[in-house]
């Protein structure tokens, strides 16, 4: 048993074991910069001191997650760090500082040993050969750090010639250089107080007694799953981060070119999608491969851009292909070329909580519309069909689960005849997917409680719009129960407990009101509510109800439920 290890995992290793190989650790170009400060450094030094003092035999740093990048067998092994950047960069800076302090104080052999073992692949001269290559933001700072080492003792005779630094990028100063200066001063003081032996013990503890499990991913997309499994407390990795890392790994040795592509292509693409960024890639992938699963998403995306593997710009252009259509489904951004009716139907769908399972199909529909292979009337017809299908199901209490299987392949099924009727024909053939008929819809509206459902506010406001009154543009009206949610003494004279439970949350008992009026009416009897609503409500629905119903009882609610059901079967036609 290896007593320097904490676990029995065969992949538990130390910093020394990882970097004594012919290996180079690379931080993805546009991963976040080094951010550790004095706080994290102090904690790490305290752990090292505990090991040196014999308080602990070793310390476990957790998991480090990497991806092996393909390279020439004669070249160094390249491991891209998906997670572990802050910890390993700090250890690397500590070894650089130890080499610097040792060389400045005349311990040149020890300093040279550190360089050759842990800092530089001196035998490799065809590219950057520092054993750690930081992200774009930190490369200039690493160069500054090494400039100190180049001028330390006898290292100045040969190290600058043997070292091929990454091309400079980012600012010359920042948290990385600040951390190095902090470590350098601490080690210089310790050297003065305790001598080189203490520095050697500190480096030995840092490089051999702080261990971690090195998880080498076969597929970068598994990083997210690994993070969740390890309950990582840091910033979670999204599919967009993995894609960015993959795209820019192709130009990792050309930071200026990479920066130009990042600025002119990647950032506009990333900024355009905003908060919707990570969620975009799954429906995008389904358009190309309907069988895509989340677990295989990254691999499927790689297949999509495989033909553009040589050019990051072409990959980004390919990924951007359906972003406009995606945003039209989940945000308020619509191309100027969209007909007003198309925009209205898209807004209706979003207000009706259109599930993301429909997105691959609708993104394809909108793309065909953009290419003028579908007319606006065809698109409106299809959107109307999707809305009818979803709203009827919601009013009947059918959850929107299980729809993705159908929508994955729906475009390929109906593309030769993209109409609402064909949509109905395809869905109607599926025994497990229901598009409720008129009878079921009427029965559901007359008997089902809809108040707590996601569709309630949408259908109530759609009915309000149908009354052809001036529609108040209030983003979030309240839903008023004419028969209150709690049965008080006054209302108990009209409704039994059973009647109250049966009808209180049905559509017929619900109207839109401003929040102020909703709170002022509360538990009041119907005569008070009717008088206030008829005179002061901004919503035509309430004013119409006050005009049509002298009293509010079981029969009133049943009658209004029937009126709403008859209206709904025409508003959301099935065929």
């Amino acid at each position: 048993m290896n007593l320097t290890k904490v676990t029995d995992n065969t992949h538990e290793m130390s910093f020394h074991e990882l970097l004594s190989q012919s290996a180079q650790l690379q931080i993805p170009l546009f991963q976040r910069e080094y951010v550790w400060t004095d706080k994290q450094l102090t904690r790490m030094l305290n752990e090292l001191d505990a090991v040196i003092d014999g308080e602990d035999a070793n310390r476990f740093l957790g998991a480090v997650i990497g991806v092996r990048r393909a390279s020439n067998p004669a070249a160094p092994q390249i491991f891209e760090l998906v997670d572990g950047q802050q910890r390993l960069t700090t250890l690397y800076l500590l070894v650089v500082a130890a080499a610097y302090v040792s060389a400045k104080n005349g311990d040149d052999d020890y300093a040279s040993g550190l360089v050759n073992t842990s800092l530089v692949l001196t035998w490799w001269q065809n590219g950057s050969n520092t054993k750690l290559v930081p992200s774009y933001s930190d490369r200039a700072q690493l160069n500054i750090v090494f400039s100190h080492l180049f001028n330390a003792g006898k290292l100045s005779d040969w190290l600058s010639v043997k070292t091929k630094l990454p091309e400079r990028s980012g600012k010359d100063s920042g948290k990385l250089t600040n951390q190095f200066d902090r470590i350098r001063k601490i080690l210089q003081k310790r050297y003065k107080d305790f001598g080189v032996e203490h520095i050697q013990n500190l480096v030995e503890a840092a490089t051999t007694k702080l261990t971690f499990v090195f998880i080498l991913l076969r597929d970068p997309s598994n990083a997210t799953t690994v993070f969740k499994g390890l309950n990582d407390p840091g910033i979670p990795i999204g599919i967009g981060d993995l894609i960015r890392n993959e795209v820019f790994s192709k130009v990792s040795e050309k930071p200026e070119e990479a920066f130009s592509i990042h600025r002119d292509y990647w950032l506009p693409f990333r900024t355009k999608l905003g908060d919707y960024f990570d969620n975009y890639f799954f429906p995008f992938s389904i358009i190309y491969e309907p069988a895509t699963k989340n677990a295989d998403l990254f691999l499927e995306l790689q297949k999509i851009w495989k033909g553009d593997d040589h050019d990051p710009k072409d990959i980004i252009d390919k990924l951007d292909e359906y972003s406009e259509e995606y945003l039209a489904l989940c945000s308020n951004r619509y191309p100027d070329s969209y007909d007003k009716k198309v925009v209205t139907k898209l807004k209706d769908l979003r207000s009706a909580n259109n599930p993301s399972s429909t997105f691959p199909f609708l993104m394809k529909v909108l793309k065909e519309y953009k290419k003028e292979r579908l007319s606006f009337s065809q698109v409106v017809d299809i959107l109307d069909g999707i809305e009818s299908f979803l709203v009827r199901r919601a009013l009947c209490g059918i959850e929107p689960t299980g729809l993705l299987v159908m929508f994955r392949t729906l475009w390929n099924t109906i593309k030769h005849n993209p109409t609402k009727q064909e949509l109905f024909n395809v869905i109607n053939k599926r025994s497990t997917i229901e598009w409720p008929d008129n009878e079921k819809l009427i029965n559901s509206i007359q008997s089902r409680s809809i108040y707590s459902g996601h569709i309630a506010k949408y259908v109530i406001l759609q009915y309000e719009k149908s009354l052809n009154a001036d529609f108040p543009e209030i983003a979030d009206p309240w839903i008023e129960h004419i028969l209150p949610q709690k049965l008080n003494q006054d209302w108990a004279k009209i409704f039994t407990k059973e009647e109250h439970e049966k009808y209180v949350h049905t559509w017929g008992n619900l109207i839109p009101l401003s929040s102020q009026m909703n709170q002022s009416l509360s538990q009041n009897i119907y005569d008070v509510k009717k008088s206030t609503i008829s005179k002061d409500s901004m919503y035509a629905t309430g004013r119409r109800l006050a005009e049509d119903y002298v009293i509010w009882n079981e029969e009133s609610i049943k009658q209004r439920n029937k009126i709403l059901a008859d209206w709904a079967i025409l508003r959301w036609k099935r065929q």
Side-chain angles (χ1 to χ4, degrees), residues 115 142 177 201 318 331 392 434 441 444 485 490 527 548:
V115 169
L142 184 74
T177 51
N201 290 337
K318 174 68 77 175
S331 74
R392 281 183 174 238
E434 183 180 5
L441 182 62
S444 294
Q485 296 188 64
D490 292 326
D527 284 345
D548 292 347

Side-chain angles (χ1 to χ4, degrees), residues 482-483 494-495 508-509 526 545 549 551-553 556-557 560:
I482 303 301
L483 166 64
I494 305 169
F495 289 87
N509 190 51
Y526 179 64
L545 180 140
Y549 297 94
I551 60 173
W552 196 250
N553 55 19
S556 304
I557 297 177
R560 187 164 184 263

Side-chain angles (χ1 to χ4, degrees), residues 307-357:
D308 302 310
D309 199 47
H310 61 286
D311 191 338
K313 292 181 288 187
D314 290 342
I315 295 174
I316 296 168
D317 283 341
K318 174 68 77 175
L319 291 171
D320 193 27
E321 185 178 5
Y322 283 90
S323 61
E324 189 176 82
E325 290 72 26
Y326 179 78
L327 289 170
L329 293 170
C330 60
S331 74
N332 284 312
R333 285 175 273 176
Y334 309 100
D336 293 337
S337 59
Y338 282 17
D339 183 86
K340 187 177 180 179
K341 261 192 168 181
V342 172
V343 172
T344 298
K345 295 308 295 183
L346 289 171
K347 287 181 177 178
D348 286 346
L349 267 178
R350 195 170 66 258
S351 298
N353 293 299
N354 179 29
S356 60
S357 53

Side-chain angles (χ1 to χ4, degrees), residues 511-523:
I511 61 171
L513 279 186
S514 67
S515 60
Q516 184 178 359
M517 185 173 289
N518 175 275
Q519 292 169 19
S520 68
L521 293 177
S522 188
Q523 299 284 97

Side-chain angles (χ1 to χ4, degrees), residues 75-356:
Q77 289 189 79
I78 296 175
F79 297 114
E80 189 174 84
L81 288 184
V82 179
D83 180 51
Q85 169 191 0
Q86 306 297 324
R87 288 166 285 170
L88 297 192
T89 301
T90 304
L91 289 175
Y92 189 79
L93 291 176
L94 189 146
V95 178
V96 175
Y100 170 82
V101 169
S102 299
K104 290 290 282 187
N105 287 279
D107 290 295
D108 299 295
D109 289 342
Y110 180 62
S112 297
L114 291 180
V115 169
N116 290 314
T117 303
S118 300
L119 299 180
V120 180
L121 293 156
T122 54
W123 58 271
W124 177 250
Q125 295 292 305
N126 294 332
S128 302
N129 66 0
T130 53
K131 287 201 171 188
L132 183 135
V133 179
S135 66
Y136 182 93
S137 299
D138 293 334
R139 291 189 177 183
Q141 292 182 64
L142 184 74
N143 286 15
I144 297 297
V145 166
F146 263 86
S147 70
H148 291 286
L149 204 55
F150 292 160
N151 295 302
K154 291 184 179 179
L155 294 179
S156 61
D157 296 339
W158 60 275
L159 185 56
S160 62
V161 177
K162 290 288 188 178
T163 304
K164 303 294 182 184
L165 293 170
E167 189 175 326
R168 295 173 74 99
S169 58
K171 297 178 180 178
D172 284 349
S173 61
K175 290 189 175 179
L176 191 145
T177 51
N178 290 342
Q179 192 76 297
F180 173 74
D181 289 339
R182 195 177 288 123
I183 297 171
R184 182 163 54 99
K185 290 173 183 176
I186 291 171
L187 297 196
Q188 181 59 54
K189 185 177 187 307
R190 291 193 178 197
Y191 187 98
K192 181 179 178 181
D193 293 341
F194 309 114
V196 70
E197 186 177 349
H198 176 81
I199 302 301
Q200 292 170 345
N201 290 337
L202 186 69
V203 171
E204 181 183 6
T207 58
T208 67
K209 303 297 178 63
L210 298 186
T211 63
F212 49 86
V213 171
F214 189 49
I215 300 175
L216 194 57
L217 301 178
R218 294 178 180 174
D219 169 14
S221 67
N222 292 329
T224 305
T225 303
V226 172
F227 257 108
K228 291 177 181 177
L230 294 174
N231 297 312
D232 184 84
I235 299 173
I237 290 178
I239 185 66
D241 296 318
L242 300 173
I243 293 167
R244 178 202 62 211
N245 294 351
E246 183 72 13
V247 168
F248 286 100
S249 70
K250 303 175 189 308
V251 286
S252 62
E253 291 289 338
K254 304 173 183 177
E256 291 309 313
E257 178 185 344
F259 178 79
S260 176
I261 295 171
H262 187 263
R263 180 195 61 210
D264 298 335
Y265 288 83
W266 180 264
L267 278 182
F269 170 55
R270 176 67 183 84
T271 303
K272 176 168 58 174
L273 284 162
D275 292 339
Y276 305 103
F277 186 65
D278 278 343
N279 293 331
Y280 163 70
F281 296 103
F282 186 60
F284 169 80
S285 182
I286 286 175
I287 292 171
Y288 285 91
E289 176 45 71
T292 297
K293 295 181 175 62
N294 260 315
D296 304 323
L297 178 55
F298 192 80
L299 290 175
E300 295 301 336
L301 290 169
Q302 285 179 310
K303 292 177 185 176
I304 292 170
W305 74 57
K306 188 175 181 181
D308 302 310
D309 199 47
H310 61 286
D311 191 338
K313 292 181 288 187
D314 290 342
I315 295 174
I316 296 168
D317 283 341
K318 174 68 77 175
L319 291 171
D320 193 27
E321 185 178 5
Y322 283 90
S323 61
E324 189 176 82
E325 290 72 26
Y326 179 78
L327 289 170
L329 293 170
C330 60
S331 74
N332 284 312
R333 285 175 273 176
Y334 309 100
D336 293 337
S337 59
Y338 282 17
D339 183 86
K340 187 177 180 179
K341 261 192 168 181
V342 172
V343 172
T344 298
K345 295 308 295 183
L346 289 171
K347 287 181 177 178
D348 286 346
L349 267 178
R350 195 170 66 258
S351 298
N353 293 299
N354 179 29
S356 60

Side-chain angles (χ1 to χ4, degrees), residues 3-4 50-51 54-59 208-210:
L3 296 179
T4 65
V51 172
E55 181 181 332
D56 289 315
N58 44 34
R59 286 294 178 96
T208 67
K209 303 297 178 63
L210 298 186

